Amino acid sequence: MSGPLRIHFQDLGKQAHAARLGMWLLLVSEVLLFSGLFVLYATYRIAHPHVFSDAVHHAYVGLGTAMTLVLITSSLLVALGVHRARDRSARAAFPWLSASALLGVLFLGIKLYEYLLHAREGALPGAHYHFEKIADPAGSLFYTLYFFATGLHALHVAAGVALLGGVAFAVRRGRVRSEYPIAVELAGMYWHLVDVIWLFLWPLFYLVE
Amino acid sequence: MRISAKTQVLTYGALVALSGLTYALSFASLGPWSMVLALAIAAAKAALVFLFFMHLAEQRAVNAWVLVSSLLLVAFFVGLGAADVATRYEHDGAGAESATRPPR
């Protein structure tokens, strides 16, 4: 294989489009995965409005907002990295991708700390629930949803960090061609979706009382 | 159209500003409108990320169709699921609350 163009594509433009379309299809399947949890949130919140409102009131808003800003900033850094890869060389994306990955790790650290705070006060999922401030057993519905939704999201953040890190090292080692830096773009797209999902989790679990 | 680095930075500014707005509004007592507004702002932020950070605005239309149609399906999923529970009733009026009470 001499150039990046594969035999079944007419030109690089079509090849790149196919890659992006494939990634969009993956991303919407991820959206469908999370939508199951959003349906549960909607139905449980309609059924237990006061418990949910109370639970959101007890959320760690400062930590949640910090996590939101961390992810939005990391998305900017990734977007600028893609820009560099397109305009200069694939290698130029390395510092941007690395910085984004590190912000992802920061996000996970804050999340873990928050989970420990919840664990200490007994706000745990399912049968482990024993949060004194919300005695109603429907509180366990909220916290089960909270741990599942943010936990599934955190798994996606971890996957995104691995992806960004992997592509970062690939560009540094010269494994990504500067005339076809699609790998940087695709990793970036995955990361942006992880950000978008959090943009919905944040108001639902931290802000709207 | 080609999305510039400057556009990305402006998009970031808008995202931070909208996040600030969401945070500020969370202190206002708007009743059921709190949720509607918060989700509307989140949708606007998502649109900014899709269009500019993810370059959807520069890409071929079929990508946007894939995204929009899937979001429509999610809207049906969440909307009809919520409507189901919201319109249930029982003879004693307990309705949705008793239908979704967790087991002891």
Side-chain angles (χ1 to χ4, degrees):
Chain A
M1 181 172 63
S2 50
L5 182 64
R6 310 301 286 271
I7 194 149
H8 50 289
F9 289 106
Q10 195 172 40
D11 55 58
L12 269 185
K14 290 195 166 78
Q15 183 170 322
H17 168 65
R20 291 184 196 114
L21 178 58
M23 185 46 106
W24 278 111
L25 288 166
L26 171 72
L27 297 181
V28 300
S29 77
E30 296 283 88
V31 167
L32 186 63
L33 174 67
F34 278 91
S35 61
L37 291 167
F38 286 120
V39 174
L40 284 177
Y41 182 96
T43 53
Y44 284 153
R45 183 148 188 165
I46 287 167
H48 306 278
H50 301 294
V51 174
F52 266 57
S53 177
D54 210 11
V56 172
H57 180 74
H58 284 100
Y60 295 99
V61 182
L63 294 179
T65 308
M67 286 189 273
T68 304
L69 292 173
V70 165
L71 278 187
I72 296 177
T73 306
S74 70
S75 266
L76 171 67
L77 296 180
V78 162
L80 292 175
V82 170
H83 204 260
R84 282 283 180 277
R86 283 173 162 190
D87 276 6
R88 295 195 186 167
S89 68
R91 202 134 190 244
F94 175 74
W96 302 94
L97 295 174
S98 309
S100 297
L102 285 174
L103 283 178
V105 173
L106 176 61
F107 177 94
L108 290 173
I110 300 173
K111 191 114 266 314
L112 183 64
Y113 174 63
E114 201 200 340
Y115 278 0
L116 291 173
L117 289 177
H118 282 305
R120 208 170 54 178
E121 58 192 4
L124 286 168
H128 305 284
Y129 181 77
H130 58 277
F131 187 32
E132 283 169 12
K133 288 184 191 155
I134 301 177
D136 191 321
S140 88
L141 287 177
F142 178 87
Y143 284 101
T144 305
L145 259 182
Y146 164 80
F147 275 98
F148 264 86
T150 61
L152 184 64
H153 176 261
L155 280 176
H156 280 72
V157 172
V161 167
L163 193 58
L164 287 176
V167 174
F169 281 106
V171 301
R172 190 147 170 261
R173 276 202 223 99
R175 304 269 279 278
V176 178
R177 290 170 175 273
S178 293
E179 67 265 30
Y180 189 63
I182 199 76
V184 178
E185 244 189 274
L186 297 181
M189 283 172 75
Y190 187 84
W191 189 253
H192 292 308
L193 184 78
V194 164
D195 183 17
V196 168
I197 292 166
W198 180 260
L199 291 178
F200 285 93
L201 293 179
W202 179 50
L204 290 177
F205 288 103
Y206 294 85
L207 295 181
V208 183
E209 291 187 27
Chain B
M1 63 171 289
R2 194 62 162 75
I3 292 167
S4 64
K6 184 181 165 198
T7 308
Q8 306 288 31
V9 176
L10 286 173
T11 305
Y12 174 73
L15 286 171
V16 173
L18 287 171
S19 301
L21 179 64
T22 316
Y23 180 78
L25 283 174
S26 73
F27 291 103
S29 316
L30 301 166
W33 289 104
S34 296
M35 182 60 84
V36 173
L37 265 177
L39 290 177
I41 298 174
K45 288 156 80 179
L48 285 172
V49 174
F50 290 138
L51 285 169
F52 299 110
F53 279 174
M54 293 166 89
H55 296 266
L56 191 61
E58 315 178 307
Q59 293 173 8
R60 289 211 232 164
V62 66
N63 296 358
W65 282 112
V66 166
L67 177 66
V68 168
S69 58
S70 74
L71 293 177
L72 201 63
L73 291 175
V74 173
F76 278 131
F77 192 10
V78 177
L80 292 175
D84 173 354
V85 175
T87 54
R88 282 189 198 181
Y89 64 93
E90 283 184 6
H91 296 295
D92 61 355
E97 200 255 320
S98 64
T100 58
R101 192 173 296 134
R104 286 190 186 268

